Amino acid sequence: EFEYTYSKTNPLEPLKKSIIIENIGKLLAHFSLNVSPPYSIYEQKSEYKIDPLNKESVTIIFDPSEYKDVRKTIKNQPSEMYIKH
């Protein structure tokens, strides 16, 4: 969950959060990720590979400047992460 509240004293900067994707299976997990604006993936790879019983950290960026009126509180913006495997 991302939350941004406009303030004249704070610069308008993207917010970052990391998520952990874990492969709990016995086979190599091979997949790609896609998100829609105002979200993006920091240092996005064309494909991800996670060995069995391992984890991968992915940083999601929320850019409040994507909104025409940033002088408000923005939270719980719906979005989807597409995982193709």
Side-chain angles (χ1 to χ4, degrees):
E1 178 179 304
F2 288 91
E3 183 173 339
Y4 166 80
T5 302
Y6 173 78
S7 171
K8 288 182 180 181
T9 60
N10 292 336
L12 185 63
E13 293 182 4
L15 306 172
K16 296 179 182 180
K17 287 195 178 184
S18 293
I19 61 171
I20 304 293
I21 300 174
E22 183 175 6
N23 179 1
I24 59 171
K26 295 180 180 181
L27 301 174
L28 174 72
H30 182 237
F31 58 94
S32 61
L33 298 174
N34 292 301
V35 295
S36 302
Y39 300 95
S40 61
I41 299 173
Y42 181 71
E43 295 183 350
Q44 183 168 4
K45 301 176 187 178
S46 59
E47 62 183 24
Y48 294 82
K49 294 180 182 179
I50 305 176
D51 289 324
L53 307 176
N54 280 309
K55 301 175 185 179
E56 173 89 25
S57 177
V58 177
T59 301
I60 306 296
I61 300 169
F62 171 73
D63 187 358
S65 70
E66 293 276 334
Y67 294 90
K68 292 178 184 175
D69 182 11
V70 294
R71 296 180 187 180
K72 60 183 179 181
T73 296
I74 302 169
K75 67 179 184 177
N76 297 329
Q77 271 307 115
S79 184
E80 296 178 355
M81 179 184 302
Y82 299 99
I83 301 175
K84 183 178 178 181
H85 59 94

